[in-house]
Amino acid sequence: MARIIVVTSGKGGVGKTTTSAAIAMGLAKRGHKTVVIDFDVGLRNLDLIMGCERRVVYDLINVISGEAALNQALIKDKHCPNLFILPASQTRDKDSLTQEGIGKILDELSKDFKYIVCDSPAGIEKGAHLAMYYADDALVVTNPEVSSVRDSDRMLGILASKSRRAEQNQEPIKEYLLLTRYSPERVKLGEMLSVDDVQEILSLHLLGVIPESKSVLSASNAGVPVILDEKSDAGQAYADVVARYMGEDKPHRFIDEKKGLFGKLFGRG
Amino acid sequence: MPTDPKKTSISHLALEFKSSTFSVPVLVLFSNSLQNIEQQLQEKIAQAPEFFKNSPILLDFQELNKRDLDLAVADLVNAVRALKLLPIGLRGGNAVQNRQALALGIPAHVLQGGAPLEIAKTKTAPAEPEEPEQSDGPSAILITQPVRSGQRVYARGDLIVLATVSSGTEIMAEGNIHVYGSLRGRALAGVRGDEKARIFCSDLQAELISIAGIYKISEDLSDGVRHKPVQIYLQDHSLIIKDI
């Protein structure tokens, strides 16, 4: 059985797709067969971040509506043979997403894959609901600012009550906090919430802190998941996150301000 | 597919019972002079005619009965209806008044908590069964997980939360509320009118606190009580916040 991971947040623009791409790539690079699914029908981005936008023929909706077989829609990643992408449709209506359809696809993928990463759309509407409904684990992506934290809190409430695990009275979804776009300098100036502030409000297990980094934007533009940029701080932080998710004990980095030699060694971008 | 039978059963479903709370203006009466009531009510309505037009209204006889003033429910209902208000209930009425209300198709609400006991002091008979009902009322609800933004919790008795209550939540209890994490949402104790209900919390950062409908919003909380372990109770119809 595959493990289904949903990457969600409530708020938009916090780094869900960047995270989905990085986590999926990280898991695949460790030798696990992984598929990452874009649930953001109508506003698909994952294919861009993964650099496979020119190879999209069929998408999630085609598979749900029976116009294409799952194998036809899956795109093999060019960097890692263990990684596959199931893109969202840019042209179809969101209403074509159905719970049964998603359930069937996930069942079928579970036979072949070890991990299924679901990139949730922003908001708490149908797309976001379906992305998390079948999840086993949830990565809640949060920026260190109050509106993002509150939206994440709302999402956590929905995860606890509206998922398949909740409805069938199974063990609840495992929830992890991922703090992204973190800037220790701005925390020090009081412009951003600190890790502790966010932890106190959300009371959630912290899987990692991804620093605000130019490398994220340049990786997105290049269509390469940032985790492959092993020299960048964000890339290393995502590698740590994957390691921690796999149960390894890694100390948290990039929480404190960079200084002197340290700063030069881990220079940005 | 497990969802298919569910779908068909939903299409046959004609109705569903749901429990919900909503706010209704309450007309608290202090005088049994129908003429005075009509006149003053007209003045009030004139101030905001659109607000009151066809508005549902709850008739409250509690104060009347405290003062031993009797008023025929039918007369009042006629007067109120003539002013385009729609009575949807009577509370604090005595047995006769409750019967009169029911005869008019208006539900009679029995008050829980402190108020009926006070009536019992002046009128001996009706409040007797209230007391045992209070002592072995519904048992407390215990919540060990954080209450997340957007969630609502309603307890028919006491409510005990061992975790954080986030902002954007609403926790309500007919009895007392205890929060052992941070209280950042709205907390409403004694929602059915129990003025003896209290709120206890170990870290007060609430958006709103209310006991028996008397409330304070976050802005009204002084810095002296914020982020502190406090208890909140009612004294002479005002909320008292005290360190514990």
Side-chain angles (χ1 to χ4, degrees):
Chain A
M1 271 306 274
R3 195 89 188 154
I4 302 173
I5 308 166
V6 61
V7 179
T8 187
S9 70
K11 196 172 186 297
V14 294
K16 283 183 294 299
T17 302
T18 300
T19 299
S20 302
I23 299 291
M25 180 61 83
L27 291 167
K29 268 179 60 189
R30 286 173 165 253
H32 306 295
K33 209 173 170 201
T34 304
V35 56
V36 53
I37 308 175
D38 192 350
F39 275 82
D40 205 348
V41 174
L43 288 170
R44 73 165 202 228
N45 284 149
L46 183 69
D47 51 329
L48 291 171
I49 307 281
M50 300 293 300
C52 64
E53 73 277 11
R54 294 193 206 161
R55 290 187 287 148
V56 175
V57 184
Y58 295 110
D59 55 50
L60 183 62
I61 301 288
N62 291 134
V63 180
I64 288 179
S65 55
E67 295 156 10
L70 193 51
N71 285 335
Q72 291 177 290
L74 286 173
I75 303 171
K76 193 172 191 170
D77 185 75
K78 52 189 172 194
H79 302 284
C80 183
N82 284 324
L83 181 60
F84 289 80
I85 299 120
L86 184 54
S89 174
Q90 182 73 339
T91 48
R92 300 295 197 84
D93 191 30
K94 278 191 287 203
D95 293 336
S96 326
L97 278 182
T98 60
Q99 192 160 305
E100 297 98 311
I102 301 291
K104 262 189 206 160
I105 290 181
L106 292 178
D107 274 350
E108 214 175 317
L109 289 172
S110 287
K111 292 175 198 154
D112 281 345
F113 289 91
K114 182 84 190 293
Y115 291 103
I116 302 172
V117 179
C118 302
D119 179 22
S120 170
I124 51 173
E125 308 306 322
K126 196 176 171 192
H129 178 248
L130 289 177
M132 67 85 179
Y133 182 76
Y134 294 97
D136 301 305
D137 299 316
L139 263 178
V140 179
V141 182
T142 307
N143 286 170
E145 46 107 9
V146 283
S147 61
S148 174
V149 171
R150 177 178 285 189
D151 291 358
S152 293
D153 195 51
R154 177 91 171 95
M155 205 63 224
L156 285 162
I158 295 171
L159 285 170
S161 60
K162 300 255 169 74
S163 65
R164 176 171 63 171
R165 281 172 173 269
E167 281 176 8
Q168 298 182 354
N169 268 329
Q170 295 171 339
E171 192 189 327
I173 295 178
K174 274 210 187 93
E175 299 155 342
Y176 301 97
L177 173 65
L178 187 68
L179 208 53
T180 54
R181 311 193 68 166
Y182 194 75
S183 161
E185 295 83 3
R186 296 189 61 189
V187 171
K188 206 178 170 195
L189 290 170
E191 296 172 353
M192 253 186 197
L193 296 176
S194 71
V195 177
D196 292 340
D197 293 339
V198 178
Q199 279 272 78
E200 201 209 315
I201 298 173
L202 293 179
S203 34
L204 207 59
H205 178 72
L206 180 70
L207 198 61
V209 176
I210 311 297
E212 172 85 60
S213 168
K214 281 179 197 155
S215 57
V216 172
L217 188 61
S218 40
S220 298
N221 287 337
V224 180
V226 69
I227 198 168
L228 294 177
D229 184 355
E230 284 163 14
K231 288 199 190 78
S232 75
D233 45 2
Q236 292 172 17
Y238 273 118
D240 285 1
V241 166
V242 174
R244 280 188 211 109
Y245 177 76
M246 302 301 297
E248 290 172 31
D249 195 14
K250 289 249 176 190
H252 285 284
R253 297 193 270 172
F254 314 109
I255 291 179
D256 300 314
E257 226 174 331
K258 284 180 294 198
K259 281 180 197 126
L261 183 66
F262 189 75
K264 276 174 205 155
L265 278 173
F266 296 96
R268 304 200 147 180
Chain B
M1 282 261 77
T3 36
D4 283 338
K6 202 176 163 192
K7 222 179 190 175
T8 49
S9 71
I10 278 180
S11 61
H12 290 300
L13 196 68
L15 57 82
E16 184 179 17
F17 272 109
K18 282 195 168 168
S19 162
S20 75
T21 48
F22 54 92
S23 49
V24 179
V26 179
L27 184 64
V28 185
L29 297 160
F30 301 108
S31 153
N32 64 347
S33 153
L34 213 51
Q35 209 184 345
N36 282 352
I37 293 172
E38 270 183 306
Q39 195 196 339
Q40 290 181 22
L41 199 53
Q42 256 167 359
E43 286 167 14
K44 288 269 182 218
I45 292 172
Q47 288 168 9
E50 277 309 307
F51 175 80
F52 284 109
K53 196 176 176 188
N54 294 332
S55 166
I57 197 158
L58 187 70
L59 307 172
D60 190 330
F61 276 39
Q62 209 178 326
E63 294 296 320
L64 278 186
N65 286 328
K66 258 189 217 170
R67 292 162 204 205
D68 268 333
L69 299 170
D70 198 28
L71 179 63
V73 178
D75 294 346
L76 178 70
V77 166
N78 286 337
V80 167
R81 281 192 178 144
L83 292 167
K84 295 260 190 301
L85 292 170
L86 304 169
I88 58 157
L90 170 77
R91 77 173 184 193
N94 59 33
V96 179
Q97 290 160 344
N98 287 348
R99 239 176 285 133
Q100 290 175 339
L102 284 173
L104 292 163
I106 293 172
H109 302 269
V110 178
L111 277 172
Q112 288 193 338
L117 294 176
E118 282 180 34
I119 298 170
K121 283 175 204 154
T122 48
K123 301 204 167 194
T124 41
E128 287 262 285
E130 294 282 340
E131 244 170 338
E133 197 180 293
Q134 258 196 334
S135 52
D136 53 75
S139 59
I141 287 184
L142 175 69
I143 292 175
T144 53
Q145 294 291 314
V147 184
R148 301 291 186 186
S149 185
Q151 292 182 327
R152 300 177 80 199
V153 180
Y154 188 94
R156 297 205 48 206
D158 283 4
L159 177 63
I160 303 164
V161 184
L162 296 179
T164 302
V165 177
S166 295
S167 58
T169 59
E170 202 165 59
I171 56 171
M172 290 173 284
E174 291 176 18
N176 305 306
I177 293 178
H178 307 254
V179 180
Y180 294 98
S182 297
L183 170 57
R184 299 197 179 91
R186 295 163 164 243
L188 298 92
V191 287
R192 295 269 305 255
D194 183 357
E195 295 179 1
K196 289 203 179 88
R198 292 186 180 209
I199 299 171
F200 305 86
C201 64
S202 54
D203 176 17
L204 177 68
Q205 302 177 38
E207 290 170 350
L208 180 143
I209 45 171
S210 159
I211 291 172
I214 295 171
Y215 69 92
K216 258 189 186 171
I217 53 171
S218 176
E219 222 174 55
D220 299 336
L221 300 178
S222 71
D223 287 339
V225 296
R226 243 176 242 276
H227 299 281
K228 294 235 170 74
V230 294
Q231 63 160 323
I232 300 149
Y233 56 94
L234 267 187
Q235 202 171 58
D236 300 328
H237 293 279
S238 60
L239 284 176
I240 310 290
I241 306 175
K242 233 185 187 160
D243 289 7
I244 39 173

